[in-house]
């Protein structure tokens, strides 16, 4: 394959994967907003318990294999070993279905035990049992998505994601309206995964045979050989499982501990706070995804100047966008929760103001993790996350008993800060690149000026809308006069301006203003 064709395929695949992730996130937020309003804090709190366990059991059931499937299918296809590529898919699918059914049974039986004996909330028993409907179908979807990704057919991933989100939202709404309460929302999620699994099977049967042919009897593995293949896949996937579970602990430990010490409605408030606080992570995830291969390339070329550029600009880009966003969310936490979830959830405003700062720390951790992985240290973030998850559980256990959901937000924020420090230090040691502290100081000062301006605006939904319009203007002007913009920023804005059509003249005036007073 030529370099240009390979690059085009990679760019197309990355774009489609970004669309898939966007569908997943937008669909997830729509689902949460609707369920919060339909169920109320009490029912939404019960749903929050199930979402945590749903994530944990999906990771355990999949065995971390979807990325391994993608890796080994891609590897065998590149070597024109089509039979081996097919073997990877079918062996993984069998193993994942076994795990899915096993953990589904486990969840069905332990759900009531957790609800009654740990949380002392019998109303959560049936929704937790309903999670058992999800895992068998989620693993089927995961296996096929890994296969699609391995042959760069990202459009199939997008289709299955779209089917999942549409069916999940529609049936969750219908079942809740019919009176099934929180269990209906979980069953709706299960129906979404069922529909997605059916769509994945149809796509595989109709379009994938030319890429992954059926197994010939002479090439088909026996049981012992399949066990060997599973072992190979698990060696690759176990760090993925540990990292995923540790990350879930950072996010989900608060809900679990709140279930032990607080009434269900407080879990409902926190379940509304969490997705809003995580909005800045969408930006950092995009930067982290891009910096991993870039840092890896620069490291392989032994180009320290290029590596320094990638590293410093990645951090700068994240801080430049995430910090003012976090400050804005922290100041307008109450109106934001009211707008998205309804007046019943404004109680969580204080927790949101704290937790969103923690997510600012976590964005730095994510970018540093990607840099470390790109430079050949994939286990470093895993070790730090494992330690961080233990710290987070301990802090939640202690602080929630005294401060409720404020304590939960404090625990996660402190943990995010703690895990940020060692990953930043190790990244500095590995790359020998100094962080752009002067640039960080200018961004922080411009964000503070913007924040002071936002404090003068009434803390209402109308004030929030006004702030969304005015805050970026204050921030850009402040950052301009602080001489925070760089020449590369000007070049990028000019390139983007050429694609804005009628707005290009306004963009050019803005660029000239920044150029005049910032450079």
């Amino acid at each position: 394959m030529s370099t240009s064709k390979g690059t085009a395929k990679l760019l197309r695949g990355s774009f489609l994967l970004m669309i898939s992730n966007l569908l997943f996130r937008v669909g997830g937020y729509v689902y949460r907003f609707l369920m919060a309003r339909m169920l109320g804090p009490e029912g939404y709190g019960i749903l929050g318990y199930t979402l945590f366990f749903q994530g944990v059991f999906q990771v355990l059931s999949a065995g971390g294999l979807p990325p391994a499937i993608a890796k080994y299918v891609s590897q065998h296809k590149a070597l024109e070993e089509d039979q081996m590529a097919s073997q990877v898919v079918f062996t993984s699918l069998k193993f994942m279905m076994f795990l899915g059914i096993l953990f589904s049974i486990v969840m069905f039986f332990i759900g009531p035990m957790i609800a009654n004996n740990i949380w002392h909330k019998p109303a959560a028993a049936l929704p937790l049992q309903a999670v058992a409907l999800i895992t068998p179908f989620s693993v089927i979807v995961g296996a096929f998505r890994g296969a699609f990704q391995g042959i760069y057919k990202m459009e199939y991933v997008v289709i299955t994601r779209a089917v999942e989100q549409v069916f999940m939202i529609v049936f969750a709404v219908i079942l809740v309206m019919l009176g099934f309460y929180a269990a209906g929302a979980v069953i709706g999620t299960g129906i979404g995964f069922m529909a997605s699994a059916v769509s994945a099977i149809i796509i595989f049967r109709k379009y994938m045979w030319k890429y992954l042919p059926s197994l010939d009897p002479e090439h088909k593995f026996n049981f012992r050989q399949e066990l060997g293949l599973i072992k190979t896949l698990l060696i690759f996937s176990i760090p993925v499982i540990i990292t995923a579970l540790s990350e879930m602990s950072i996010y989900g430990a608060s809900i679990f501990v709140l279930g032990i010490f607080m009434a269900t409605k407080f879990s409902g408030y926190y379940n509304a706070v969490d997705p809003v606080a995580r909005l800045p992570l969408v930006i950092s995830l995009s930067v982290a995804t891009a910096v991993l291969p870039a840092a890896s390339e620069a490291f392989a070329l032994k180009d320290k100047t290029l590596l320094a550029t990638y590293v410093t600009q990645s951090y700068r880009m994240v801080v430049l966008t995430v910090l003012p966003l976090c400050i804005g969310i922290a100041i307008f936490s109450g109106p934001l929760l009211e707008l998205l979830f309804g007046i019943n959830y404004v109680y969580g405003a204080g927790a949101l103001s704290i937790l969103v700062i923690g997510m600012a720390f976590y964005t730095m951790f994510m970018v540093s993790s990607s840099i470390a992985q790109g430079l050949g240290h994939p286990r470093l973030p895993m070790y730090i996350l494992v330690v961080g998850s233990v710290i987070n559980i301990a802090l939640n256990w202690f602080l929630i008993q005294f401060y409720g959901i404020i304590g939960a937000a404090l625990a996660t924020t402190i943990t995010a800060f703690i895990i940020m420090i060692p990953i930043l230090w190790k990244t500095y040691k590995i790359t020998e690149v100094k962080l752009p502290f002067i640039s960080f100081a200018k961004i922080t000062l411009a964000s503070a000026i913007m924040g002071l301006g936002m404090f003068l605006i009434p803390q209402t939904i109308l004030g929030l809308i006004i702030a969304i319009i005015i805050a970026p203007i204050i921030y850009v002007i402040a950052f301009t006069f602080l001489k925070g913009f760089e020449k590369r920023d000007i070049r990028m804005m000019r390139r983007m301006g050429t694609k804005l059509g009628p707005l290009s003249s306004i963009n050019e005036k803005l660029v000239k203003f920044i150029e005049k007073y910032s450079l």
Side-chain angles (χ1 to χ4, degrees):
M1 181 184 291
S2 67
T3 303
S4 59
K5 286 184 178 179
T7 303
K9 184 169 77 170
L10 181 60
L11 290 174
R12 180 174 177 272
S14 299
F15 175 75
L16 288 171
L17 202 56
M18 182 183 70
I19 296 296
S20 172
N21 289 329
L22 186 62
L23 279 174
F24 177 73
R25 290 184 178 278
V26 170
Y29 278 111
V30 170
Y31 173 82
R32 282 175 176 265
F33 298 156
L34 290 173
M35 292 302 101
R37 289 179 178 271
M38 295 178 73
L39 294 171
E42 189 86 15
Y44 193 51
I46 293 173
L47 181 61
Y49 301 148
T50 68
L51 290 173
F52 172 69
F53 277 97
Q54 175 188 325
V56 170
F57 276 81
Q58 280 181 269
V59 170
L60 292 173
S61 300
L65 289 179
I69 294 170
K71 169 184 164 58
Y72 284 101
V73 165
S74 177
Q75 179 177 304
H76 289 302
K77 287 294 293 182
L79 298 173
E80 298 183 353
E81 298 172 351
D82 290 358
Q83 285 291 308
M84 269 303 299
S86 296
Q87 187 70 62
V88 168
V89 174
F90 293 122
T91 298
S92 299
L93 185 58
K94 286 191 284 186
F95 181 62
M96 289 167 70
M97 287 180 69
F98 167 75
L99 289 178
I101 294 170
L102 173 64
F103 283 110
S104 180
I105 295 170
V106 170
M107 191 64 213
F108 184 82
F109 285 105
I110 72 167
M113 294 171 56
I114 295 169
N116 295 318
N117 300 331
I118 296 178
W119 290 331
H120 305 291
K121 295 176 175 63
L126 183 57
L128 285 176
Q129 285 183 306
V131 173
L133 294 172
I134 297 172
T135 50
F137 298 100
S138 69
V139 296
I140 294 173
V141 174
F144 283 123
R145 283 177 183 164
F148 299 154
Q149 191 175 347
I151 60 170
Y152 290 91
K153 289 294 178 181
M154 304 303 181
E155 59 267 33
Y156 299 156
V157 177
V158 175
I159 292 169
T160 58
R161 275 265 170 88
V163 169
E164 173 195 323
Q165 296 295 315
V166 170
F167 275 80
M168 177 182 74
I169 293 168
V170 169
F171 279 92
V173 169
I174 291 172
L175 290 170
V176 172
M177 290 177 66
L178 289 174
F180 287 90
Y181 202 46
V186 182
I187 294 169
T189 303
I191 293 173
F193 277 104
M194 290 178 200
S196 184
V198 171
S199 69
I201 292 169
I202 292 171
I203 291 170
F204 193 89
R205 289 178 64 86
K206 191 169 183 178
Y207 300 108
M208 294 287 289
W209 292 119
K210 59 183 176 181
Y211 305 107
L212 296 170
S214 57
L215 294 172
D216 295 333
E218 60 186 59
H219 292 102
K220 192 173 182 180
F221 278 22
N222 58 35
F223 182 70
R224 184 184 294 272
Q225 289 173 312
E226 285 197 291
L227 286 178
L229 178 57
I230 289 169
K231 180 181 177 182
T232 300
L233 295 170
L234 285 176
I235 289 172
F236 176 86
S237 65
I238 284 174
V240 176
I241 300 173
I242 295 172
T243 302
L245 291 176
S246 300
E247 193 168 21
M248 281 182 185
S249 173
I250 300 292
Y251 294 145
S254 298
I255 288 291
F256 186 89
V257 179
L258 279 167
I260 297 173
F261 295 113
M262 304 289 291
T264 306
K265 66 179 181 180
F266 294 102
S267 297
Y269 299 140
Y270 198 80
N271 199 32
V273 165
D274 181 66
V276 181
R278 280 200 262 170
L279 279 171
L281 297 184
V282 176
I283 297 171
S284 60
L285 180 62
S286 302
V287 175
T289 303
V291 75
L292 193 154
S296 180
E297 176 190 14
F299 186 72
L301 294 172
K302 298 181 180 180
D303 191 331
K304 290 189 175 182
T305 303
L306 184 62
L307 178 62
T309 300
Y310 283 147
V311 171
T312 56
Q313 288 306 307
S314 295
Y315 285 126
R316 181 176 176 272
M317 190 182 304
V318 166
V319 177
L320 186 64
T321 52
V322 167
L323 185 58
L325 179 60
C326 289
I327 289 175
I329 292 174
I331 293 172
F332 278 88
S333 56
L336 194 55
L337 285 173
E338 183 181 353
L339 177 66
L340 296 175
F341 292 94
I343 191 69
N344 292 331
Y345 293 89
V346 175
Y347 180 87
L352 175 56
S353 297
I354 296 169
L355 187 60
V356 75
I357 303 303
M359 292 302 101
F361 299 143
Y362 197 77
T363 59
M364 296 294 283
F365 173 83
M366 288 179 64
V367 174
S368 297
S369 295
S370 286
I371 293 170
Q373 289 167 352
L375 300 182
H377 297 269
R379 294 180 182 270
L380 174 62
M382 179 186 74
Y383 295 143
I384 294 175
L385 270 175
V386 169
V387 174
S389 66
V390 174
I391 294 171
N392 191 42
I393 292 169
L395 286 173
N396 270 281
W397 191 274
F398 176 75
L399 293 174
I400 284 174
Q401 295 183 65
F402 293 96
Y403 304 108
I405 63 171
I406 295 291
L410 277 170
T412 304
T413 297
I414 293 168
T415 301
F417 180 78
I418 289 172
I419 65 175
M420 178 189 72
I421 297 303
I423 196 76
L424 282 175
W425 179 73
K426 288 298 292 184
T427 303
Y428 166 74
K429 295 289 287 185
I430 294 167
T431 61
E432 298 180 353
V433 173
K434 294 182 179 180
L435 293 176
F437 289 110
I438 295 176
S439 184
F440 286 177
K442 292 178 180 179
I443 294 168
T444 303
L445 186 54
S447 300
I449 293 170
M450 181 202 76
L452 290 173
M454 292 176 72
F455 269 120
L456 301 176
I457 302 172
Q459 302 293 299
T460 62
I461 291 179
L462 178 59
L464 171 63
I465 295 170
I466 294 170
I468 290 172
I469 298 170
I470 294 177
I473 298 172
I474 298 174
Y475 181 61
V476 169
I477 292 173
F479 198 56
T480 298
F481 284 103
L482 288 169
K483 299 189 181 300
F485 287 100
E486 299 177 356
K487 288 182 179 179
R488 59 168 62 89
D489 300 326
I490 303 296
R491 290 195 297 268
M492 183 182 70
M493 285 188 283
R494 280 214 162 95
R495 282 199 301 270
M496 290 175 60
T498 60
K499 302 175 183 179
L500 294 177
L503 298 176
S504 58
S505 58
I506 298 174
N507 180 78
E508 182 59 27
K509 289 179 182 178
L510 174 63
V511 171
K512 285 182 178 179
F513 169 79
I514 294 171
E515 197 171 26
K516 180 179 179 180
Y517 292 102
S518 189
L519 298 182

